[in-house]
Amino acid sequence: GYGKDKRQPAYSRAVSALFQGRKMMMSRTVKGYLFSILSAVVFGSLPAIAKLIYAEGLNPLSLVFFRNALAVPVLFGILRWKKISLRLTRRQAVQLCPIGLLCGLITPGLLFLSYVYISSGMATTIHFSYPVFVLLGCALFFRDRITPVRALCVLFCTAGILLFYTPGESANLFGMAIAFISGITYAAYIIALYRSCLREISPFLFSFYMCLESAVLLLAGLLLAGQFTLPETALGWFATLGLAVAASIVGVVLFQIGVSLIGPQNASILSTFEPITSITLGVLIYREPFGLKTALGAGLILLAVTLLSLAEKRKGSPVAES
């Protein structure tokens, strides 16, 4: 079937175009999965890095300050490079203040503090139940319907958290409570952001002002309380800089790319690699205990989050977008 000019016939060109299109789609999907998993691994590595930094002289709130402060100049450079204006409307500025504090100061402050009292894997897994808190918050404040699948996810998540508790260990209970509250505050941030006008601005611009606001307030508070500390070694400074860039820029950007390629639901499901990474590194590096009871608790929470992500088919759901 070739003509005199030896060119490829029309049906053959159509078949080639079809396969090329499928190849491009497969490549896009694979990249989306890869970026989403890498984002989860980055975030899951933060607890192990945080514990290293604590050993080098930094306390949890000072670490949150450096996480925000060191990211500010990098984010500013990105904004200048992308030619994004720093201007905010009055409404955006008013809404950014409390929402930025929830994400940049309150949530990481609670989560980083929980690493002092319980294993990093346990803390991350308890915090990672935040999609369930998003669900409950939407049902409580916005009358969102709780389906049987959603109710089952709440049950699984609650049972998983209870399995982490060891009677008689006050530090265990206190650390769990802090990690639990960090999940609630992060859920509050997601719901507030979803309902605000800040969804209209660049995520880099939001992160810039969030980090700037949190860094200024934290520095003032730590200096007044006499609790501001600095890394005591070069390793401590290097790890602090690495955590700041990883937490505020690398992980966020990778997740955003993953969402754009495979959608928020698939990206959210793949985020379960975050607590898995945290648990694995905690066991390998710090020899953190991980018995059958803990494994069952973690498994129930991850199952709840995965089922909830799969069930959120409604476009625009804050659970799906988280």
Side-chain angles (χ1 to χ4, degrees), residues 51 112-119 170-172 174-176 178:
K51 290 205 168 188
F112 283 12
L113 182 60
S114 70
Y115 299 153
V116 176
Y117 299 97
I118 57 178
S119 70
S170 57
N172 176 274
F174 182 67
M176 285 178 57
I178 295 174

Side-chain angles (χ1 to χ4, degrees), residues 204-220:
F204 292 108
L205 184 60
F206 173 79
S207 295
F208 170 75
Y209 280 116
M210 176 193 71
C211 291
L212 181 62
E213 174 192 24
S214 300
V216 171
L217 291 177
L218 258 177
L219 180 61

Side-chain angles (χ1 to χ4, degrees), residues 1-13:
Y2 286 88
K4 293 180 180 179
D5 56 0
K6 306 298 185 182
R7 289 184 301 178
Q8 193 177 17
Y11 78 87
S12 183
R13 291 198 302 272

Side-chain angles (χ1 to χ4, degrees), residues 93-289:
V94 169
Q95 292 187 359
L96 188 142
C97 289
I99 295 175
L101 286 178
L102 276 173
C103 184
L105 194 160
I106 299 174
T107 297
L110 291 168
L111 185 58
F112 283 12
L113 182 60
S114 70
Y115 299 153
V116 176
Y117 299 97
I118 57 178
S119 70
S120 57
M122 181 186 298
T124 305
T125 306
I126 293 175
H127 169 79
F128 199 73
S129 59
Y130 68 83
V132 176
F133 301 142
V134 173
L135 163 67
L136 293 175
C138 290
L140 181 62
F141 296 107
F142 304 108
R143 299 182 179 179
D144 198 3
R145 190 170 66 93
I146 296 183
T147 64
V149 173
R150 290 175 168 181
L152 183 64
C153 291
V154 173
L155 180 62
F156 282 165
C157 185
T158 303
I161 292 174
L162 290 176
L163 282 171
F164 282 137
Y165 175 59
T166 301
E169 294 186 7
S170 57
N172 176 274
L173 182 60
F174 182 67
M176 285 178 57
I178 295 174
F180 182 82
I181 296 173
S182 77
I184 295 177
T185 58
Y186 191 64
Y189 150 73
I190 291 172
I191 296 173
L193 181 63
Y194 180 76
R195 297 278 174 172
S196 75
C197 63
L198 296 175
R199 299 179 67 189
E200 305 166 2
I201 69 174
S202 164
F204 292 108
L205 184 60
F206 173 79
S207 295
F208 170 75
Y209 280 116
M210 176 193 71
C211 291
L212 181 62
E213 174 192 24
S214 300
V216 171
L217 291 177
L218 258 177
L219 180 61
L222 287 168
L223 289 176
L224 287 174
Q227 296 297 315
F228 183 68
T229 58
L230 295 171
E232 299 175 352
T233 65
L235 175 62
W237 278 107
F238 180 79
T240 302
L241 176 61
L243 184 143
V245 174
S248 301
I249 300 172
V250 178
V252 173
V253 172
L254 287 173
F255 185 75
Q256 289 173 341
I257 295 174
V259 168
S260 68
L261 292 174
I262 61 175
Q265 293 169 350
N266 289 328
S268 296
I269 293 170
L270 293 173
S271 293
T272 54
F273 276 88
E274 180 181 337
I276 293 173
T277 300
S278 182
I279 291 171
T280 302
L281 291 179
V283 171
L284 293 178
I285 298 176
Y286 297 106
R287 299 293 188 268
E288 293 177 348

